[in-house]
Amino acid sequence: MLWVPLMPARSLVEIIASKRDGERLASAEIERLVEALMAGELADYQMAAWLMAVFFRGLDETETVALTEAMLHSGRVLDLAAVAGVKVDKHSTGGVGDKVSIALAPLVAACGAVVPMVSGRGLGHTGGTLDKLEAIAGFRTDLSAQDFVRILGEVGCCMVGQTAEIAPADKRIYALRDVTATVECIPLIVASILSKKLAEGIDGLVLDVKVGRGAFMKDRGAARALALALVRVGTRAGKRVVALLTEMEAPLGVAVGNAVETREALDVLLGGGPPDLVECTLRLGAEMLRLAGRADGDAQALASLKEAISTGRAARTAERMIEAQGGDPRVVTDLARLPIAEDEIVVVSPRDGYVTRVDALAIGLASVAMGAGRTRADQAVDHAVGIFIDRKPGAKVARDEPLARLRVRHRSSSQDVVERVQAAFSIGETPPAPRPLVLDRLDASST
Amino acid sequence: MLWVPLMPARSLVEIIASKRDGERLASAEIERLVEALMAGELADYQMAAWLMAVFFRGLDETETVALTEAMLHSGRVLDLAAVAGVKVDKHSTGGVGDKVSIALAPLVAACGAVVPMVSGRGLGHTGGTLDKLEAIAGFRTDLSAQDFVRILGEVGCCMVGQTAEIAPADKRIYALRDVTATVECIPLIVASILSKKLAEGIDGLVLDVKVGRGAFMKDRGAARALALALVRVGTRAGKRVVALLTEMEAPLGVAVGNAVETREALDVLLGGGPPDLVECTLRLGAEMLRLAGRADGDAQALASLKEAISTGRAARTAERMIEAQGGDPRVVTDLARLPIAEDEIVVVSPRDGYVTRVDALAIGLASVAMGAGRTRADQAVDHAVGIFIDRKPGAKVARDEPLARLRVRHRSSSQDVVERVQAAFSIGETPPAPRPLVLDRLDASST
């Protein structure tokens, strides 16, 4: 039998015009756009025009699911069927001092979930997990899919970088968004994040949507809208998804850099670490365990995580993962094996008072200026330099007491960084109101 | 002395984001975008994103002037200082059967104004003046700037095609708009039209903004907004500008095609021609004469035009122009020298009644299907085929009486066209209310 279409397929230009005019696109049309882009039938300038139209008109949930899946299926989707257990991952929208992943993956794996984690590199004021991990001598993040699956099965967690095979359409579209002022668009952000995460072959995903001065989302309303869209679209794509909205006005934890952050994250696995970092790690870990069906409620999940730390199981899982990935596992218990620049500069308070604010963006940019980060994707980073925030918001400080310490390569050329770090601190006469770390929690039932 | 800028120049991406956010761009920023595009520093996909942002946010008058001038100065501006007299041109936004320019240029030149006319080719349902002129054996429209200026000085008018030297940025941007669904945007249309027309070195411009089924603007409100923007921006760019809004529901005149339209336009110069075509030509001509300072009011201008026709001066000017451009001047008085396909098909009325409507778009598309037009810019046209509308709206018709006649190459393969043309006619029981040809007139004082 001959199939007679009711309507002829619209041209690619008609699809662009349709979105421009605020119409809902059919999922098949969004799929066609992405496929045509990758096949060279839709030009970059046509995709750019469509992206700008989406910036103004938005995509509804069904359209965003279609875009996510089209980008996901532009590349390879990992098949983790050979690995027993429920696979869960965490994704953070990025902040300053955010080293949570490094503690979280082995911690959650030590509690029985499987954590296949694909991370990124630092760019601009935010650091990247891969850069931090590579501060461990020998640690490799460029594993083959085969090795990734094998280590996941043996250890329960594995942390690698994105390969060219994963969601290549996202890579292409993100490069366009970056230079066409179409980055700040929730459905496009959602599709970009989820297409990459779904390619990991996960069952569940916990999102850490950061909000504040050091985050991509400065505004809480916008951050909540992003979190909700991520949860809803991820759920529609068949995954268990939860999001936490977490504070990113000041850096997370004390250390900002690469090796210094890895030290601090591994310290959490040993029962140490700054309180905010510990809280963030445990809260996200608890959500992952619940998604993985390894705990019935928060209390049980937290108890399980704390037990993994106190018994040393979490630290041993980290050692096994580091060893499996070619790194020196002794760093876990001997943090001094991580590199650190020898020269220390102390940044002191100009007056008596309370720290009312530590500007995460300013600290992040200072750390880039020190060499810990990059402003272009092709730059190398210095693993050994970093900043320690000695006084976090709320701390009392006397004049000339330390606010922060910098570990630098060249003391003589660090004056600019010292000034930036000092300027990042606001000192007031009264302590600021304490701010909760977790601002909100969203799951599939949220509206 | 060192010049210290108050603000660092914004990056090209920041300029795109600024328009995206609804901000007014500085004229220098718009100039930078266009220059960067032509220099290869701004990619096509960035310009496409900006164009879509402009679609949503618009450009105000000052911004549109800046875009017009940036596109104008991307190429050569003709210097007509060597030609005495006030130079005026007419631009039509395009319709079906619109052969006005062919009569208008020699007619207005015969009354003492100088008419440097740069015309286009047909595309889609609308024909193009160049295609119609080239139906005259030997007629060349690809003259050098030198020949153009010389003929203008000798004859008072010259009709050529756009060269690659004229507003190349417009050509580049238009090609992008065409495939990114950003054509239908008034400030972009205004800048595109005016940048090309201003490059002719004119002092004044009369715009014929067509409105209706066969026009680019289907809606009268939108057409008036376009006309007003053209007048205001053109005036701000230092030109005398007037616009007429004219009816384009049905084709203008009787003939639709190439040679058939040229015949009809030349017939106007001999004192003949269908009443609506004569009216349109005279009304636009009167505006051109007034802009050129060759008449004080409409009455004087119309009298002058009619005298140029009745004395034969207009026809002689046409002969001189055609001869100067390599064509056979005998066509003017011997219209049979223009080619016409021999086979005639008569399209008859299916019933008694009055013609209530002749769908200009349907007739235009039928003429393309016959070979008189093109759907892609690289196609050739058949000069000899065409359609005659025997019954215009309001005409009484009996069953089996002719509605239209087609001149075709191959009678056997014309059934589809015959059906299209027949379907373009609506026959009712009562005559429709008469519609004025000129719907509105706008000048620099209009709001």
mmCIF file of all heavy atoms in Angstrom, chain A residues 44-61:
data_model
loop_
_atom_site.group_PDB
_atom_site.id
_atom_site.type_symbol
_atom_site.label_atom_id
_atom_site.label_comp_id
_atom_site.label_asym_id
_atom_site.label_seq_id
_atom_site.Cartn_x
_atom_site.Cartn_y
_atom_site.Cartn_z
ATOM 1 N N ASP A 44 25.416 26.317 8.955
ATOM 2 C CA ASP A 44 25.602 26.878 10.289
ATOM 3 C C ASP A 44 24.787 28.156 10.479
ATOM 4 O O ASP A 44 24.241 28.408 11.552
ATOM 5 C CB ASP A 44 27.087 27.203 10.533
ATOM 6 C CG ASP A 44 27.884 25.954 10.881
ATOM 7 O OD1 ASP A 44 27.275 24.927 11.223
ATOM 8 O OD2 ASP A 44 29.124 26.016 10.807
ATOM 9 N N TYR A 45 24.719 28.991 9.421
ATOM 10 C CA TYR A 45 23.991 30.261 9.589
ATOM 11 C C TYR A 45 22.494 30.015 9.734
ATOM 12 O O TYR A 45 21.803 30.784 10.382
ATOM 13 C CB TYR A 45 24.295 31.258 8.462
ATOM 14 C CG TYR A 45 24.318 30.709 7.066
ATOM 15 C CD1 TYR A 45 23.153 30.527 6.343
ATOM 16 C CD2 TYR A 45 25.533 30.399 6.451
ATOM 17 C CE1 TYR A 45 23.182 30.031 5.061
ATOM 18 C CE2 TYR A 45 25.576 29.905 5.156
ATOM 19 C CZ TYR A 45 24.393 29.717 4.459
ATOM 20 O OH TYR A 45 24.417 29.236 3.184
ATOM 21 N N GLN A 46 22.010 28.920 9.137
ATOM 22 C CA GLN A 46 20.592 28.612 9.319
ATOM 23 C C GLN A 46 20.331 28.105 10.733
ATOM 24 O O GLN A 46 19.359 28.496 11.382
ATOM 25 C CB GLN A 46 20.154 27.581 8.273
ATOM 26 C CG GLN A 46 20.216 28.163 6.867
ATOM 27 C CD GLN A 46 19.821 27.161 5.809
ATOM 28 O OE1 GLN A 46 20.459 26.127 5.664
ATOM 29 N NE2 GLN A 46 18.773 27.460 5.072
ATOM 30 N N MET A 47 21.235 27.269 11.232
ATOM 31 C CA MET A 47 21.087 26.806 12.615
ATOM 32 C C MET A 47 21.190 27.993 13.570
ATOM 33 O O MET A 47 20.439 28.081 14.543
ATOM 34 C CB MET A 47 22.151 25.749 12.921
ATOM 35 C CG MET A 47 22.079 25.173 14.328
ATOM 36 S SD MET A 47 20.446 24.568 14.885
ATOM 37 C CE MET A 47 20.409 22.916 14.206
ATOM 38 N N ALA A 48 22.101 28.916 13.303
ATOM 39 C CA ALA A 48 22.263 30.091 14.170
ATOM 40 C C ALA A 48 20.980 30.911 14.213
ATOM 41 O O ALA A 48 20.565 31.378 15.283
ATOM 42 C CB ALA A 48 23.438 30.946 13.682
ATOM 43 N N ALA A 49 20.349 31.078 13.059
ATOM 44 C CA ALA A 49 19.084 31.832 13.018
ATOM 45 C C ALA A 49 18.007 31.095 13.810
ATOM 46 O O ALA A 49 17.232 31.701 14.556
ATOM 47 C CB ALA A 49 18.633 32.041 11.568
ATOM 48 N N TRP A 50 17.985 29.781 13.680
ATOM 49 C CA TRP A 50 17.001 28.989 14.429
ATOM 50 C C TRP A 50 17.258 29.106 15.929
ATOM 51 O O TRP A 50 16.333 29.267 16.729
ATOM 52 C CB TRP A 50 17.057 27.521 13.979
ATOM 53 C CG TRP A 50 16.003 26.676 14.617
ATOM 54 C CD1 TRP A 50 14.679 26.629 14.283
ATOM 55 C CD2 TRP A 50 16.163 25.762 15.722
ATOM 56 N NE1 TRP A 50 14.021 25.742 15.096
ATOM 57 C CE2 TRP A 50 14.896 25.190 15.979
ATOM 58 C CE3 TRP A 50 17.265 25.367 16.488
ATOM 59 C CZ2 TRP A 50 14.700 24.247 16.992
ATOM 60 C CZ3 TRP A 50 17.049 24.427 17.501
ATOM 61 C CH2 TRP A 50 15.784 23.879 17.742
ATOM 62 N N LEU A 51 18.521 29.054 16.319
ATOM 63 C CA LEU A 51 18.867 29.160 17.737
ATOM 64 C C LEU A 51 18.411 30.507 18.299
ATOM 65 O O LEU A 51 17.875 30.584 19.408
ATOM 66 C CB LEU A 51 20.377 28.971 17.941
ATOM 67 C CG LEU A 51 20.897 27.562 17.647
ATOM 68 C CD1 LEU A 51 22.432 27.562 17.581
ATOM 69 C CD2 LEU A 51 20.416 26.555 18.686
ATOM 70 N N MET A 52 18.610 31.583 17.522
ATOM 71 C CA MET A 52 18.164 32.892 18.001
ATOM 72 C C MET A 52 16.643 32.939 18.066
ATOM 73 O O MET A 52 16.068 33.533 18.993
ATOM 74 C CB MET A 52 18.722 34.000 17.102
ATOM 75 C CG MET A 52 18.453 35.409 17.614
ATOM 76 S SD MET A 52 19.151 35.768 19.273
ATOM 77 C CE MET A 52 20.808 36.337 18.852
ATOM 78 N N ALA A 53 15.967 32.310 17.111
ATOM 79 C CA ALA A 53 14.499 32.247 17.174
ATOM 80 C C ALA A 53 14.065 31.478 18.424
ATOM 81 O O ALA A 53 13.115 31.872 19.100
ATOM 82 C CB ALA A 53 13.945 31.588 15.906
ATOM 83 N N VAL A 54 14.786 30.417 18.760
ATOM 84 C CA VAL A 54 14.479 29.641 19.974
ATOM 85 C C VAL A 54 14.723 30.502 21.211
ATOM 86 O O VAL A 54 13.968 30.453 22.182
ATOM 87 C CB VAL A 54 15.321 28.351 20.038
ATOM 88 C CG1 VAL A 54 15.225 27.696 21.416
ATOM 89 C CG2 VAL A 54 14.863 27.372 18.952
ATOM 90 N N PHE A 55 15.775 31.327 21.163
ATOM 91 C CA PHE A 55 16.042 32.231 22.295
ATOM 92 C C PHE A 55 14.799 33.068 22.593
ATOM 93 O O PHE A 55 14.431 33.272 23.745
ATOM 94 C CB PHE A 55 17.223 33.151 21.970
ATOM 95 C CG PHE A 55 17.571 34.074 23.099
ATOM 96 C CD1 PHE A 55 18.518 33.707 24.040
ATOM 97 C CD2 PHE A 55 16.933 35.290 23.239
ATOM 98 C CE1 PHE A 55 18.812 34.542 25.110
ATOM 99 C CE2 PHE A 55 17.222 36.131 24.297
ATOM 100 C CZ PHE A 55 18.172 35.747 25.229
ATOM 101 N N PHE A 56 14.134 33.559 21.539
ATOM 102 C CA PHE A 56 12.966 34.420 21.733
ATOM 103 C C PHE A 56 11.679 33.643 21.970
ATOM 104 O O PHE A 56 10.838 34.046 22.755
ATOM 105 C CB PHE A 56 12.783 35.343 20.525
ATOM 106 C CG PHE A 56 13.755 36.485 20.523
ATOM 107 C CD1 PHE A 56 14.933 36.421 19.810
ATOM 108 C CD2 PHE A 56 13.489 37.626 21.263
ATOM 109 C CE1 PHE A 56 15.841 37.467 19.824
ATOM 110 C CE2 PHE A 56 14.393 38.685 21.280
ATOM 111 C CZ PHE A 56 15.563 38.601 20.563
ATOM 112 N N ARG A 57 11.512 32.527 21.281
ATOM 113 C CA ARG A 57 10.229 31.818 21.315
ATOM 114 C C ARG A 57 10.216 30.626 22.257
ATOM 115 O O ARG A 57 9.155 30.125 22.595
ATOM 116 C CB ARG A 57 9.870 31.338 19.907
ATOM 117 C CG ARG A 57 9.642 32.479 18.926
ATOM 118 C CD ARG A 57 8.443 33.326 19.331
ATOM 119 N NE ARG A 57 7.997 34.149 18.219
ATOM 120 C CZ ARG A 57 6.884 34.876 18.244
ATOM 121 N NH1 ARG A 57 6.138 34.923 19.331
ATOM 122 N NH2 ARG A 57 6.539 35.590 17.203
ATOM 123 N N GLY A 58 11.421 30.140 22.645
ATOM 124 C CA GLY A 58 11.482 28.992 23.541
ATOM 125 C C GLY A 58 11.180 27.677 22.848
ATOM 126 O O GLY A 58 10.867 27.640 21.643
ATOM 127 N N LEU A 59 11.348 26.610 23.607
ATOM 128 C CA LEU A 59 10.934 25.272 23.170
ATOM 129 C C LEU A 59 10.107 24.721 24.317
ATOM 130 O O LEU A 59 10.466 24.916 25.482
ATOM 131 C CB LEU A 59 12.152 24.364 22.941
ATOM 132 C CG LEU A 59 13.126 24.710 21.812
ATOM 133 C CD1 LEU A 59 14.301 23.735 21.833
ATOM 134 C CD2 LEU A 59 12.439 24.690 20.456
ATOM 135 N N ASP A 60 9.018 24.076 24.016
ATOM 136 C CA ASP A 60 8.274 23.474 25.116
ATOM 137 C C ASP A 60 8.935 22.146 25.492
ATOM 138 O O ASP A 60 9.946 21.757 24.914
ATOM 139 C CB ASP A 60 6.780 23.354 24.787
ATOM 140 C CG ASP A 60 6.492 22.270 23.767
ATOM 141 O OD1 ASP A 60 7.396 21.474 23.447
ATOM 142 O OD2 ASP A 60 5.343 22.219 23.300
ATOM 143 N N GLU A 61 8.369 21.479 26.491
ATOM 144 C CA GLU A 61 9.004 20.252 26.987
ATOM 145 C C GLU A 61 9.168 19.193 25.913
ATOM 146 O O GLU A 61 10.216 18.566 25.795
ATOM 147 C CB GLU A 61 8.135 19.681 28.100
ATOM 148 C CG GLU A 61 8.802 19.741 29.447
ATOM 149 C CD GLU A 61 7.841 19.293 30.506
ATOM 150 O OE1 GLU A 61 7.546 18.092 30.594
ATOM 151 O OE2 GLU A 61 7.381 20.191 31.214
#
